[in-house]
Amino acid sequence: MAEIAYWEAIRRAHDEELAHDRMVIAMGEDIGVAGGTYKATSGLYQKYGADRIIDTPISENSYTGIGIGASMAGMRPIIEIMSINFALLALDTLINAAAKIRYMSGGRASCPIVMRTPGGTAHQLAAQHSARLARMFMSTPGLRVVTPRGPLDAYGMLKSAVRCNDPVIIIEHESMYNMRGEVPDTETFRPLEGAEIVRAGTDVTLIGYNYSVHLCLAAAEKLAAMGISAEVLDLRALRPIDRDTIRRSVEKTHKAVIAEEDEATVGVGAEIISVIMEECFFALDAQPVRVHAADVPVPYNRQLEKAAIPNADDVLAAALKVLGRV
Amino acid sequence: MNASDQKRLLREMIFYRRFEERTFEAYMERKIGGFLHLYSGQEAVATGVLEAARCGHDYVITGYRDHIHAIKAGAPAREVMAELYGKETGSSRGRGGSMHIFDPTVNFMGGYALVGQPFPLAAGLALACKHKGTDQIAICFLGDGANNQGTFHETLNMASLWKLPVLFVCENNLYAIGTRIDRSSAVTDQYKRVAAYNIPSSQHDGQDIDVVMASAGDAVAHVRAGRGPYFIEFMTYRQRGHSMSDSNAYRSKDEEREWLERDPLKIYGERLKKAGIVTDKDIAAMEKSVLEEIENDIVRFAEESPEPRVEDLNKYCLDDQPDPRWIGPLAQGEQHG
């Protein structure tokens, strides 16, 4: 077991899967000679060559489509989109093609692609580099959507995504690439379905995914100091949602907070609250609370950006609200 | 090409025309739903190009006017008809319909309704062929209207850059639904547009199957030899509207008459008659046998086939038999703090 950075975990998963299967290729902007914007493919061009680590032009919709076409003929492409904002350009091939080909061919064709992309705010990247957009992909049948919160899932879920026969969207986060965590030295796969109880507790359930799990963990620490036992649940997968684990946790704590970095409207929190209402409405002691971004394009100014994006104190305040402590 | 192959090709084109006409009838009887785009008038293009390729070996992909491309590529015609009827025995198990015929068993990788979307998919199929080191190629059929999409330019650039074995076949029927080409494309000769990407290209008569076969043969040879992509444009004309709801109000009767004179079945039939390969009597016999085949085999199969079961609504959305090692669920022991 070694502690490695999130980007190193992604790089290791690429390396192992490229070595395991010659049909695995990686493609994206600057991933080869330049080594990847977040170093997630560094050194792989030198090791596997230009035919398998493909530097693409800035043509998101079509290079994604090329990956999809290749996957229909037996390849296993890992497609990197430098920022989830740019994935909007590839929505036609992702949503109109990749997500629908298996279904509209009656199961006769499939496109086992992996699309990796960072979504989230970082440091004053402004409106066109700060989108999160998980909600858009999680609402699309035919896709799998996962949100690794740390190096272990970043490594193990990428490996599973490459082996899986469905199109998988992996949403990473610009602020997590240098985050460190333990990853086993031996080959490990992490499943693409199933929420995870990251911290057990009894008084309130804090639900997060991707970066917001860390906000929940920080809030749980503060709550513990106040004598409140918070359970932290990492959704891990946004499609499909693990309804059972959410239900079990809320039935135990009777209170729920959902933290998302995205805007609230038609969002992850809205969906999770619906799940809670449908699964365990009568277990609730208080109305669930969403913690989410302000309903504006993300501003550049440091203070405005900070005000637009939720932090651990916002999660704490929401928890105190559902607990009736404010 | 010997006389028996020539006769076979003539019969094939007659078959394709009558097949489409029969789908029209079934559509009017409301046995076929959705949108229905007929290929009547353009038969020489798909027939000639795919005659020059290796069907079942090469990959073929196209837009929504796809019935005939699928059949010529090797999809059983009765399954294509059953798909139009929405039946479980259809090419796409009744889930795709007219615009989404698939038969991966013969490497027919689908019809797509997003104009221009097949460009990158075709290049991806070609990338796979190149990666595997086979001598397969990918053939992408699209109309002239598709060339105004970004995918056209993006894909041509990458296909040329990476020397992918892909043949782009432009079926220029002069209209993007109701907008004439000189009102939508700043350069009306489509083959000239690809010069920007250093891809060899040419333009040919798409109504004469001999011209199509000869020119496509050269193009296929170029691509198969590993010399990169080729773009071939065929001038053609659809005899019917864009789809069933289109009355062709935007086309002049003179223009339609002019192109009907250049009907591909007529051109080829006349040529074979002149060469003494067929007689009027032979053609009449072909027509009769085609109609019998369509009625007694193809339509009957579609009519008698079962509908998909409503219980199977969610089938085919994702892999129905996923490997738990990759999918989960997460075991208790795998949870970590």
Side-chain angles (χ1 to χ4, degrees), chain B residues 100-114:
Chain B
H100 309 301
I101 306 288
F102 279 80
D103 193 343
T105 63
V106 293
N107 288 345
F108 181 75
M109 303 312 282
Y112 297 82
L114 273 296

Side-chain angles (χ1 to χ4, degrees), chain B residues 181-259:
Chain B
I181 192 160
D182 54 10
R183 297 181 59 236
S184 61
S185 181
V187 177
T188 52
D189 285 327
Q190 298 302 300
Y191 77 102
K192 290 179 182 169
R193 299 177 78 181
V194 307
Y197 302 105
N198 201 20
I199 294 175
S201 64
S202 52
Q203 184 188 59
H204 309 274
D205 179 8
Q207 302 305 88
D208 185 334
I209 194 171
D210 283 327
V211 172
V212 175
M213 280 190 291
S215 56
D218 292 343
V220 165
H222 171 97
V223 175
R224 205 181 302 284
R227 294 163 66 198
Y230 192 96
F231 181 96
I232 194 162
E233 176 183 10
F234 292 108
M235 302 308 294
T236 185
Y237 202 74
R238 61 173 152 71
Q239 295 181 354
R240 292 185 177 273
H242 165 75
S243 67
M244 292 296 96
S245 57
D246 177 10
S247 63
N248 284 330
Y250 46 83
R251 305 197 304 202
S252 77
K253 294 295 153 213
D254 284 347
E255 180 184 283
E256 289 184 352
R257 207 172 304 117
E258 211 173 285
W259 279 94

Side-chain angles (χ1 to χ4, degrees), chain A residues 217-287:
Chain A
L217 286 168
E221 274 298 311
K222 294 184 182 186
L223 287 164
M226 299 164 73
I228 297 163
S229 166
E231 175 145 299
V232 176
L233 186 153
D234 176 4
L235 291 169
R236 294 182 71 253
L238 297 181
R239 183 171 195 94
I241 293 267
D242 177 357
R243 302 171 73 97
D244 285 345
T245 301
I246 295 170
R247 177 182 49 75
R248 278 201 299 270
S249 181
V250 174
E251 280 176 349
K252 183 169 65 168
T253 65
H254 309 289
K255 294 166 211 77
V257 169
I258 301 98
E260 59 188 315
E261 201 184 308
D262 212 340
E263 295 93 23
T265 307
V266 200
V268 181
E271 182 61 26
I272 299 306
I273 288 181
S274 296
V275 168
I276 292 169
M277 292 300 153
E278 289 163 357
E279 297 284 334
C280 51
F281 175 75
F282 292 106
L284 288 172
D285 280 350
Q287 65 203 56

Side-chain angles (χ1 to χ4, degrees), chain A residues 62 73 103 166 190 196, chain B residues 131-132 154 313 319 334 336:
Chain A
S62 294
Y103 197 88
D166 301 315
R190 295 279 292 169
E196 183 179 3
Chain B
H131 188 79
K132 292 176 190 169
E154 294 181 358
L313 176 65
D319 183 359
E334 286 180 295
H336 67 113

Side-chain angles (χ1 to χ4, degrees), chain A residues 98-99 102 111-114 142-145 164-169, chain B residues 318:
Chain A
R102 180 187 288 275
C111 15
I113 57 149
V114 180
L143 297 179
R144 291 182 173 277
V145 182
C164 165
N165 293 326
D166 301 315
V168 182
I169 310 283
Chain B
L318 293 173

